[in-house]
Amino acid sequence: MEPNVQLTDYIESCLTNIYGHHVTILSMQPVSGGDINRSYCLRMDDGKKLMMKLNSNSAYPNMFELESCGLDLIRNTHTIAVPNVVLQSHYADQSFLLMEWIDSTKPSASTSALLGQQLAAMHRHTAARFGLGHDNYMGSLQQSNRMHNTWAEFFINERLQPMVQTAVNKQLLSNVDVKQFDRLYNIMSSLFEEEAPGLIHGDLWGGNYLIANNGTPFLIDPAVSYGNREFDIAMSTLFGGFDKSFYDAYNEGFPLAHAWQQRLDLWNLYPLLLHLNLFGGGYLGQVKSCLQKYV
């Protein structure tokens, strides 16, 4: 999906109302983004730059509204920066999200440590139960956030079981695999100690944070819920992008429970199942390898 003249005119009209002066978009330059949305750098005649994400409203209903809500939840903790949302709307079937543009640089040991410190502070923001008041997305797949009293119940019912069922429907998992997951469900509560729910980013891989040129860490593309904070830490290890200073600073600010390293593959079953469902059997070996460590 590419922006057309009608969409550009609509955005210019909206920005004119927001800023109180006439706005002309000089250019929309494609930028690298995820697999779901088209991303652009918008340059305006007043010198401002904005980040625009664009997709199909019918294919991904309310995706950007829910992303904006997730950014608000993180922002309201006053612990770690997220981009300011300028406008979330749609024109015909073109849904878009406009945010402040963050000029970014590569992380250093000190900025990675700051990211770890601030994530630890965010995780201290808690709720009465695990989940969220509304569902959202992780990647392009809808994510259920029904509330549960324990992380074990939440992780089984709202994370693993839906992904396993989708994989079975796609003939990516066998009956033998399903029985292995059933065994895992039966012992899940014995594999870790429950702790209070924390606000988690939910999709914390290396592509979902930025370090601004002034050294400020920013979180982007959230899939938030109140969950076990080890989930964020586990996912940060899945594809790389985080160095030792990040983990050291996190553990200094909010020490992880004993033997947390032994549970990384347990929590990563969810993002690996999601990747299996999105991209196919290339992820099956990793799913089985992680599963076999616990059953």
Side-chain angles (χ1 to χ4, degrees):
M1 176 174 288
E2 303 288 345
N4 54 32
V5 173
Q6 291 81 7
L7 176 64
T8 302
D9 290 344
Y10 177 70
I11 293 174
E12 286 180 343
S13 174
C14 291
L15 292 177
T16 294
N17 289 333
I18 290 170
Y19 292 132
H21 60 81
H22 182 75
V23 172
T24 299
I25 297 173
L26 298 180
S27 66
M28 289 187 180
Q29 290 294 119
V31 295
S32 60
D35 301 300
I36 312 156
N37 310 305
R38 296 292 182 94
S39 298
Y40 299 87
C41 175
L42 273 59
R43 295 177 182 270
M44 271 70 70
D45 59 342
D46 60 1
K48 288 188 176 71
K49 291 194 295 184
L50 295 175
M51 173 74 171
M52 181 175 78
K53 298 171 72 172
L54 179 69
N55 68 24
S56 164
N57 192 52
S58 57
Y60 308 110
N62 301 318
M63 176 180 278
F64 293 146
E65 178 182 356
L66 294 168
E67 180 175 339
S68 181
C69 288
L71 292 169
D72 283 344
L73 271 173
I74 295 173
R75 182 183 299 107
N76 290 339
T77 67
H78 304 290
T79 57
I80 190 165
V82 294
N84 290 318
V85 174
V86 176
L87 176 64
Q88 181 273 312
S89 187
H90 63 90
Y91 182 86
D93 191 44
Q94 294 182 300
S95 182
F96 64 89
L97 179 65
L98 293 180
M99 296 174 288
E100 67 171 311
W101 180 267
I102 308 296
D103 286 312
S104 60
T105 187
K106 291 182 179 180
S108 64
S110 61
T111 58
S112 292
L114 184 58
L115 175 65
Q117 293 167 8
Q118 293 181 344
L119 183 71
M122 186 186 91
H123 283 168
R124 288 187 180 275
H125 285 256
T126 189
R129 305 176 74 196
F130 293 87
L132 198 63
H134 59 267
D135 297 340
N136 52 21
Y137 286 82
M138 184 171 178
S140 61
L141 298 184
Q142 294 190 5
Q143 178 172 260
S144 173
N145 292 317
R146 288 182 301 173
M147 298 288 215
H148 291 268
N149 290 326
T150 68
W151 172 247
E153 293 173 349
F154 179 84
F155 192 60
I156 292 168
N157 289 285
E158 312 307 324
R159 294 295 180 261
L160 295 183
Q161 284 184 337
M163 285 294 110
V164 168
Q165 187 59 56
T166 299
V168 169
N169 294 344
K170 292 186 171 189
Q171 299 184 326
L172 294 167
L173 289 179
S174 68
N175 289 335
V176 173
D177 298 323
V178 173
K179 288 178 181 177
Q180 289 281 82
F181 273 102
D182 286 339
R183 292 190 188 98
L184 178 65
Y185 303 155
N186 288 333
I187 64 168
M188 180 70 73
S189 60
S190 69
L191 297 176
F192 68 102
E193 294 291 330
E194 291 278 356
E195 62 178 38
L199 180 63
I200 61 174
H201 178 278
D203 193 5
L204 193 64
W205 68 287
N208 280 348
Y209 78 90
L210 300 171
I211 303 297
N213 284 345
N214 67 359
T216 301
F218 280 77
L219 294 181
I220 61 174
D221 296 346
V224 297
S225 64
Y226 287 92
N228 187 312
R229 60 200 177 97
E230 286 183 6
F231 182 87
D232 271 354
I233 301 302
M235 190 161 180
S236 75
T237 68
L238 196 53
F239 303 115
F242 299 80
D243 66 16
K244 183 176 183 294
S245 62
F246 166 80
Y247 299 103
D248 289 347
Y250 182 94
N251 266 300
E252 183 178 345
F254 194 180
L256 290 159
H258 175 70
W260 62 272
Q261 297 95 330
Q262 298 174 20
R263 294 182 290 273
L264 298 178
D265 287 330
L266 177 62
W267 311 134
N268 278 336
L269 276 169
Y270 175 62
L272 287 171
L273 282 166
L274 184 138
H275 279 74
L276 175 67
N277 286 322
L278 286 177
F279 306 116
Y283 286 91
L284 182 59
Q286 282 179 276
V287 169
K288 288 186 174 184
S289 176
C290 290
L291 185 57
Q292 288 166 3
K293 293 181 180 180
Y294 303 98
V295 296

